[in-house]
Structure formats: structure tokens, C-alpha cells
Amino acid sequence: MLCFSDLAVLAGAWERSRQEFDDELRTLCKRLELRKQEYTRECRKLAGRSARVERIFLRIWGVDDSHLEGRIPKTRERASPNTGDARVTRCDDLAIETEEREEMERAIAAIANTIRDSPLTSDRAEDSALERDRYTVFAPLASAYWVEHTSTGFRHAIWKMETFNHVAPISIRALQFLGNITDAHVKECKTQMITMPTGRRSWRRQKSDCDVFLHLKYTSRVMEPLSIRKMINETLARIIGDDTATWLERMMIEWTYNASIASRLCKPVEVFCDFNVAQWMEIYDPEQCPCRTRRYADMRSPASLNLLQSEGHTHVITIDSSVTDNPLMQGIMNSGLNHIPCMALDIDVAESEVGEFLDRLMARVMELQELTASTRSFLRRVILKKARAKMSRYKEQHRHVPAEPFERELEFLTGRFLICPTDKAPNTPVFVCKNFIRKLAFQRLSGPEFASIAAPPAAVVAQIQELCANLPERIFSVFTADITKCFETIPTDNSEDGLPAAVRFYVQSAMQVRRERSSCHTIQIRVGDGGKLWPSWVSDRQIEGMGTMLFGEKDICWLSDWCIADSVLRMGDYVWRQVRGIPMGLACSPIWCDIYFFKYAMMRLADTGNAHLIPYFSDTFSYVDDLGAINNTIIRDFMKKEGREADDPCWIYPAEYIELKENTEVIVDGGGCKANFLSMTITITSPEAGTFITSKHDKREGLGFTPCRYVKYRSNRYTKQALQVVTAQVAQILLLCSEPHDAASEINKVVTTMMGNGFAKDAC
């Protein structure tokens, strides 16, 4: 009766120590005979236990259970575990291990405490125990050993067995071994989730214990062998002593890099702002446009004619890097806009950068400051000598690494084309004729959303993780939709349906709650190093000091009104104000969208006396113009347009401003539906049972071209840090994919892409 968990636990014990392995082996040997007896007994009783649980479910749901007569063995009534008013949750009937049982009991107790005073139980005191038990009866009945042994008859395909109500055949300790997770890691992970006032769970950002943050510039690939912290610690230990081991504990060392090619290629200011409009209009002739030459004949797009019908000519809109005939330039641009061109392996430049870093280090670390000047100088020389030796050996072995000069044809390209990121593939450059994009911009500015003004313009951020953390255990319906033109159509006037009114309502409500909870209800913005802003709550009696700004309720509303009213943009030497809608590029625009849609969803239901419908939206999520609703069967009623009455509870969005377009897919065989929300795909496998699977949704698939993904090996970046993208992607995949084969497939895609980018297979 050995199972996978036993082998994994033994393997973990072997890695820790021989003594622990011997202890685990002796313990396992003692359990095997007992496990055999328990397995025989379980096979005899499991059918009756499963039938008993099924009857409980059926009676809760009010469904006939007569087909179970004779299948449930009669058992002797046991004394209630209740003691006084304290309800004790029992999991003794569940065939799970001790650690898992204790964890489940704690979870059930927490759920029971949460719902004890809920509307489901408070109105019917006589049935309170039964009502609370509704939330605790669904639990694995069969042991991991039974599941693993029985699944061999199905080639380990557990999902093909009679019921999906089985615990995965692996114990917590085995899982810890496979993930190389210690008990301390598990406890720490559980503390990372916080419960919001709304009841939803959210990830808590981990606070850094570092006091000193220093950056070392990665000048070229010659710095690849440098592990600067290790090198400094080894030198300090050898020269000063072992007491220096803690000197750098509270210091964070990070790499900084040269600018990517996007900073040299993407120049929207030069295209849209830094030119004389009158002079350009005078000399511009569509027939003489540079992109009309024979060289670009295959790159001119019919889409340009559809977008700008008055032009009468097609223009270049392409992702083809052969807009330049320089092969080196083509290779650099094909690497993606995030590519950093490789530099010459110059040891002197790298050594100088390390020397400047050491100077900053010795000025910031208190223990190093207390050393004598001669000692600090000696340490500096030793570290630089060791660094130079490492870099010299690396250069000797990698003489073939070429530099990538990036100046050729740069002016030619940026003079003719606007080079910008592609939608849904931001690292892939698209080349657009500069004259065409200017004409298209002027056509857009001539619409009713903008008004020309004389004055120049004044100088003026984990949704998907929250969604994963708050998915319910059962999903019976799913709905997703796009809010079309949500930025352009939001009214910005002072009417009841305007954005300023929604912002004022939200700010006033938030500040009222803040005043009820704390005396600190003024926001202080402190300007830190590099212009970084640090917000905090302070008392309303706080005095504004140097480098700080204070914002009360009225200040926030005024500032928001000013930003809405003064959304201006410049085209050449002319200025326009946006008079309808909100600017897509403004940092606060996504927040404005959330505020506006919240007010016209939840608050309208409350104002029309339909607050009882609000719980239907408990599992509804939105991000800017994407809307996703789970277990909300009435959501489609909110999309109707005809025959609306003023008191219609389904009319939560002003129809003249907001339009919802559903993009939920119905599975062909009618067995469920599928919906994509942000980076997740939710597929309902059984609408009756509420079973579902989740997988990763990649909007870049099906674009018609192969986008640039992640970073290239030959990019001028520290290789170990560049490979962290694999860790980040795998973490996201494991969070999004509920099926092992889906996760394995997505991880394989990441590894394949990184290998295609030049990284070694073993490194990935």
C-alpha cells in the first residue's frame, strides 16, 4: 500500500538527514499493516458513507432521495459535540491525514462563525445547525490511498471515476517536498492574504526590510560573472573578520541598464508636437509622400485608406522591419522594443562603474563608514582587483560577443515613420507613415470631442490576482463583456450623469467613513528622492511643510474637477481641449472609469429600491472596459435597450453613454460556456454541478503574426535577472491554470520562447 506521498515524504527526509529518513522509514513500516486493514474496511464502508452524504445534499436541496433506500447503513446515534454555546466542528468522519484534518476544522470553524449571523441563518433559529452544516458537508470522503489505488483502473485519470469528490492523492508534506517549501514558508504565505472590508481577499504587498538601496549599472556583458554582494562579503570576511556577515543584510543591490531601443525609435513628441503645422500643411503633397516610393509598395496598407478616406492614397502601416535595408538594424528591431543593444566588452568602463558603486556603498553603510580611510581604500582596491580578474577571464572566453551599433539609419527611420508598440504586443514595433498619422490625428481632433483653444497646455496600478483569490468553489454561470468606447463616451459635464458628480460622491463617501474610523482624514503627499510621491493619512490639523502637500475632501474634488476640465493636448503649435470623454493616457483615467461604473451600477440599484439585487454582483469584477460576472444569472437583463422605464432596476448604465457587448462563448455541445477575463479563461464543464476549470488566456494568440516576447539573450542585460521572467510567468501560470496538463503546456510555451530568444535549455 505504498503511494506517491510516502515516496515523496521519504525523499524529503533523505535530503534533510539520514537519521530523519530512518525514523520516517520505521514509522511507515509500522503503518503499512494498519493501512491495509483500514483500506479493507474503507472499501466495505465507503459506498454507504458516500450515499449518506449524497442524501444530506439532496435533502438540503429539496430533491427526492428515495433511490438511496437500503444503501445507507444504520449507525448508532452519537452524542452531540456541542459544549454550551460553543459549536465544535468535527472532521473525524473525513478520511484525511491529521494535519489536513486540523486545517479543515479551522477552515470550517471560520466559515461557521462568518455565517452564524447571516440572513440565511438569523431568520430561522430552529434550523440554524442544519443551515450552517450546508457549508461544511462537501468534503473528500475517500482517503488518498484509496483514490490512488482505485485510479490505477482508470490509468490514474481521477476525473473519469464515478464522482469528482476525491482528495488529490498527495499529502501536505509531500507537496512541501515537491515545492521545496518549509513550514515557515507555508505560514508566511498564509499571512500574505488580507480580507478587505467588502469580504474579498487580496494580496498584501510584502514590505522590504532593506534600509539601503543601491544600483550598479550593467555596462556590458563583461559584468556577467560579477556577483557583487558575494564578492564584497568574501572580501570583508577575509580582511575584517566573520563579524561582517550582517553588514549588508539590510541593503538591496539591483542592476540598472542602458535605455532600450524604444527610447531611440519611439518619438511621438517629434511626430505630433515638435513641428510647425502651417509649414507642414503647405509643403505636404499626398502623391509625393516618401512612403509612396517603389521601395515601400508592398508595405502600404489598405487600412490607411479606410481610416483616412479623404486622402485618396494608401500609406505605410507595417510591422515588417525591412522598412530599412540594413540587416543589422533589422535584427535589432526584430529583437523587440525592450531590447538593449549589446555594448563592447570594455573592462575599464565596467571597473570604473564598480568603483563608483563601492564609493556609494561605503558612504551609505554605517559599519563601513566607521572604518579608517586607509582600510576602506584597501578594501576598494582588493574588490576591484578581484572584479577585474573575473571580467578578464570572461572576456577571454567570450571574445565573439559583438557590439551592436545603433546609430545607422536611425535618423532616416524616425524622420519618415512613427514607430510605436503594437496593440496587445507592446514589444513588437509597428511602422506608420508620419504624414498619414498626422492627417489622421487632425481628422480626430476635428470631431465633437475636442475644441481648439488658444492657450498653451499647462505642465502638468493586480486585478487578475484578486480575481483568482476570490473565485467561488462552484461556478454555475459566467458572463464577460466589453464596455465599448468607455473612455470617449463618459460625460464630463456637471450633470447628474457626469463624471465630476460621480467622483464627488465617491470622495465624500470615502472621507465620511474615514472620519468615523480615525482622526487622520487628510492626505499628505511627501515628495521624495527623484520626485517620487509618498502618500499618507495625517491629522487635519497638520501644517503643510517643505516638500509636502496636504489634500482634504474639497481639495481632492477640486483637483479632480480641474484634471477633467483641463484635458488638453498639443498638435504642432496648436492646442485642443477634450470636451467629451476622458483621455486614455492619463494615469487617473482607469480610476475614473471604475468610479463612474460603480456609481451607475450599485448606487442606482440602491436608489431605485432594488438593493436586494446587489448580492448578485458579489462575484462581479471589472477592469477599465472589461466586465466579468460569475454566478450572476440576471446580468444579461442589464444589457437591454428597448422599453426602459425610469424605475427599471436593470437600467444601471445611461444607455446613451454606455454600450455593453457580450463576448461569452457557448460551448458547442451545450455543456457549459467559456469566458475570457483579463489573463484568465473560465470554462464551465457542468452548469448543473458548478464544476469549472481555469486556464491562461493569451490575447497575443491569433494576431496573425509572431509578436516579440520577453527578452533576448543577446540583450545587454544580466542573464540571471533576465531569466526571472520564466519564474514570473510560471508563477502566473500556476495561479491561472487549474488543470496540470494546461499548466505544463503553458510552461512549455514559455521555455520554448526563451530558448528561441537564445537562452540555454538548462538555464530555462
Side-chain angles (χ1 to χ4, degrees):
M1 290 299 294
L2 279 177
C3 68
F4 177 81
S5 292
D6 300 325
L7 300 177
V9 170
L10 289 175
W14 177 266
E15 283 195 350
R16 291 188 289 272
S17 69
R18 176 61 183 270
Q19 180 61 41
E20 188 170 346
F21 174 80
D22 292 340
D23 293 341
E24 288 287 353
L25 187 59
R26 282 193 293 268
T27 302
L28 178 60
C29 291
K30 294 178 182 178
R31 290 177 178 174
L32 284 178
E33 185 60 34
L34 293 175
R35 188 180 296 173
K36 181 180 179 181
Q37 299 173 10
E38 292 172 355
Y39 175 74
T40 303
R41 184 165 56 252
E42 183 176 14
C43 291
R44 188 173 61 250
K45 295 183 178 180
L46 185 59
R49 294 176 58 201
S50 300
R52 183 184 297 112
V53 173
E54 182 180 353
R55 185 178 63 181
I56 294 174
F57 273 119
L58 294 175
R59 290 184 177 180
I60 289 174
W61 296 329
V63 180
D64 179 53
D65 62 347
S66 58
H67 64 286
L68 298 175
E69 290 294 334
R71 293 174 53 185
I72 303 176
K74 295 182 179 180
T75 56
R76 188 174 52 186
E77 292 292 332
R78 291 184 295 180
S80 172
N82 292 1
T83 305
D85 293 332
R87 181 175 181 269
V88 180
T89 306
R90 296 180 58 87
C91 292
D92 295 341
D93 290 337
L94 304 179
I96 54 180
E97 296 182 6
T98 303
E99 294 176 346
E100 296 165 329
R101 179 179 60 80
E102 293 174 352
E103 181 65 23
M104 183 170 288
E105 286 186 347
R106 287 193 293 268
I108 293 173
I111 295 172
N113 289 333
T114 301
I115 66 166
R116 180 173 290 123
D117 298 323
S118 71
L120 290 174
T121 59
S122 58
D123 295 337
R124 291 183 292 177
E126 65 276 7
D127 295 332
S128 60
L130 177 61
E131 291 289 337
R132 288 194 294 269
D133 285 344
R134 292 188 182 188
Y135 297 85
T136 62
V137 293
F138 190 82
L141 298 178
S143 67
Y145 315 110
W146 186 93
V147 174
E148 185 165 355
H149 184 267
T150 306
S151 65
T152 56
F154 297 87
R155 296 185 178 180
H156 298 283
I158 300 177
W159 56 90
K160 295 181 180 179
M161 296 168 64
E162 289 185 358
T163 172
F164 55 82
N165 188 20
H166 293 311
V167 63
I170 182 172
S171 67
I172 293 176
R173 295 176 62 193
L175 180 61
Q176 287 185 226
F177 162 71
L178 293 177
N180 194 23
I181 302 171
T182 64
D183 292 340
H185 288 152
V186 175
K187 292 179 181 179
E188 182 181 358
C189 181
K190 291 179 179 179
T191 63
Q192 299 305 310
M193 294 293 294
I194 58 174
T195 302
M196 308 297 287
T198 59
R200 287 187 177 179
R201 294 178 296 171
S202 179
W203 295 99
R204 181 172 61 186
R205 179 174 294 179
Q206 185 175 1
K207 294 183 178 179
S208 174
D209 295 329
C210 298
D211 298 328
V212 181
F213 296 86
L214 290 177
H215 294 87
L216 176 62
K217 187 175 182 179
Y218 190 85
T219 60
S220 69
R221 189 59 62 84
V222 78
M223 301 183 75
E224 191 67 23
L226 297 186
S227 178
I228 193 70
R229 181 188 294 271
K230 180 180 179 181
M231 196 163 54
I232 295 173
N233 281 331
E234 289 176 350
T235 304
L236 289 173
R238 183 161 61 90
I239 296 175
I240 307 299
D242 294 337
D243 294 340
T244 61
T246 60
W247 286 13
L248 304 185
E249 275 188 349
R250 301 183 68 82
M251 182 185 69
M252 178 73 74
I253 302 175
E254 295 288 349
W255 291 102
T256 59
Y257 300 97
N258 297 325
S260 65
I261 64 173
S263 64
R264 308 293 304 277
L265 290 174
C266 303
K267 298 184 176 182
V269 175
E270 293 184 5
V271 175
F272 295 111
C273 299
D274 296 345
F275 74 104
N276 185 289
V277 175
Q279 183 180 355
W280 173 78
M281 286 186 168
E282 183 179 349
I283 65 175
Y284 172 60
D285 183 357
E287 295 184 358
Q288 301 300 320
C289 181
C291 77
R292 297 291 304 169
T293 61
R294 188 174 182 180
R295 175 181 178 179
Y296 302 115
D298 295 336
M299 302 179 190
R300 293 194 288 268
S301 172
S304 61
L305 196 59
N306 297 332
L307 292 169
L308 200 61
Q309 297 180 0
S310 61
E311 188 74 3
H313 297 281
T314 56
H315 292 267
V316 170
I317 305 177
T318 183
I319 60 172
D320 190 349
S321 61
S322 61
V323 290
T324 172
D325 54 8
N326 186 325
L328 178 60
M329 192 73 168
Q330 292 178 17
I332 292 176
M333 292 189 298
N334 288 336
S335 297
L337 292 175
N338 62 338
H339 177 64
I340 302 175
C342 281
M343 307 298 291
L345 303 183
D346 194 322
I347 295 178
D348 293 332
V349 173
E351 184 180 9
S352 176
E353 178 62 33
V354 174
E356 294 178 5
F357 169 80
L358 292 175
D359 292 337
R360 297 193 301 270
L361 174 68
M362 292 180 181
R364 298 287 299 276
V365 179
M366 182 179 63
E367 291 85 354
L368 293 175
Q369 293 177 11
E370 296 174 350
L371 298 177
T372 63
S374 59
T375 303
R376 292 198 299 269
S377 178
F378 180 67
L379 285 170
R380 188 179 188 275
R381 291 197 304 271
V382 172
I383 296 172
L384 287 177
K385 183 179 179 180
K386 185 180 294 188
R388 188 176 186 88
K390 288 177 176 288
M391 292 188 292
S392 298
R393 288 194 297 270
Y394 183 89
K395 183 176 181 180
E396 195 67 30
Q397 299 169 2
H398 299 80
R399 289 183 177 274
H400 62 279
V401 178
E404 293 179 315
F406 191 57
E407 301 300 327
R408 301 176 185 176
E409 290 200 21
L410 187 61
E411 186 176 348
F412 172 83
L413 276 175
T414 56
R416 294 189 173 197
F417 303 105
L418 167 67
I419 306 175
C420 57
T422 305
D423 184 30
K424 297 181 176 65
N427 291 330
T428 303
V430 60
F431 307 90
V432 185
C433 173
K434 182 185 290 187
N435 291 321
F436 163 75
I437 201 66
R438 281 177 177 171
K439 291 279 288 184
L440 185 63
F442 279 120
Q443 176 180 283
R444 179 77 172 83
L445 290 170
S446 63
E449 298 90 352
F450 299 92
S452 179
I453 59 176
V460 205
V461 153
Q463 288 286 340
I464 191 62
Q465 291 180 337
E466 180 183 348
L467 172 63
C468 292
N470 291 280
L471 283 178
E473 291 186 3
R474 293 285 175 268
I475 295 181
F476 302 93
S477 67
V478 62
F479 171 91
T480 57
D482 286 333
I483 304 173
T484 60
K485 297 183 178 181
C486 71
F487 284 100
E488 299 96 314
T489 56
I490 291 180
T492 56
D493 55 19
N494 291 319
S495 66
E496 181 183 354
D497 290 331
L499 176 61
V503 173
R504 284 193 295 271
F505 166 80
Y506 194 85
V507 172
Q508 291 168 0
S509 300
M511 289 305 232
Q512 179 179 349
V513 173
R514 182 69 190 183
R515 282 191 291 267
E516 294 172 353
R517 296 181 177 181
S518 173
S519 60
C520 298
H521 42 78
T522 297
I523 300 175
Q524 175 183 266
I525 306 294
R526 179 173 58 85
V527 183
D529 297 338
K532 188 173 183 178
L533 304 179
W534 299 88
S536 61
W537 290 102
V538 296
S539 171
D540 57 344
R541 294 187 294 272
Q542 181 83 13
I543 300 175
E544 193 171 277
M546 184 67 68
T548 63
M549 297 176 289
L550 298 177
F551 294 90
E553 180 180 313
K554 293 182 178 179
D555 300 320
I556 299 173
C557 293
W558 175 86
L559 184 60
S560 179
D561 290 344
W562 184 87
C563 290
I564 295 172
D566 292 282
S567 296
V568 296
L569 58 92
R570 180 162 66 99
M571 185 76 176
D573 44 4
Y574 289 83
V575 178
W576 282 262
R577 175 184 284 116
Q578 187 166 353
V579 295
R580 191 174 74 183
I582 58 179
M584 295 183 65
L586 201 62
C588 53
S589 291
I591 302 176
W592 283 342
C593 282
D594 289 342
I595 291 175
Y596 185 77
F597 296 138
F598 170 82
K599 184 176 188 293
Y600 285 102
M602 300 302 99
M603 294 313 302
R604 177 169 175 81
L605 291 177
D607 293 342
T608 57
N610 293 285
H612 62 283
L613 297 177
I614 294 179
Y616 285 96
F617 293 82
S618 60
D619 291 316
T620 298
F621 302 85
S622 64
Y623 180 75
V624 190
D625 61 341
D626 292 324
L627 179 67
I630 295 173
N631 294 339
N632 188 340
T633 56
I634 65 172
I635 187 68
R636 287 177 178 83
D637 293 336
F638 291 80
M639 298 176 61
K640 64 182 183 180
K641 294 182 178 180
E642 296 81 10
R644 282 183 165 173
E645 302 294 337
D647 59 347
D648 185 353
C650 295
W651 182 21
I652 60 175
Y653 297 129
E656 62 270 28
Y657 303 134
I658 304 302
E659 180 181 358
L660 297 178
K661 288 189 175 181
E662 182 179 3
N663 49 32
T664 312
E665 300 177 27
V666 178
I667 299 176
V668 177
D669 59 8
C673 57
K674 180 172 68 174
N676 302 319
F677 183 74
L678 301 181
S679 299
M680 175 186 284
T681 297
I682 302 175
T683 304
I684 299 179
T685 56
S686 173
E688 294 78 17
T691 57
F692 66 97
I693 59 175
T694 60
S695 57
K696 186 176 184 292
H697 171 58
D698 192 346
K699 294 182 178 180
R700 288 169 293 191
E701 293 184 358
L703 290 178
F705 61 91
T706 303
C708 298
R709 292 173 181 262
Y710 317 132
V711 296
K712 305 290 185 179
Y713 173 74
R714 60 192 180 92
S715 189
N716 197 53
R717 301 173 186 266
Y718 189 56
T719 305
K720 290 184 179 179
Q721 194 171 58
L723 281 169
Q724 288 179 359
V725 68
V726 177
T727 305
Q729 289 295 316
V730 168
Q732 184 187 47
I733 289 169
L734 294 178
L735 184 68
L736 294 174
C737 297
S738 60
E739 298 296 300
H741 63 275
D742 287 341
S745 175
E746 292 294 338
I747 293 173
N748 183 63
K749 291 179 183 178
V750 175
V751 174
T752 302
T753 301
M754 293 299 286
M755 291 171 58
N757 288 352
F759 290 90
K761 181 178 181 180
D762 294 341
C764 297

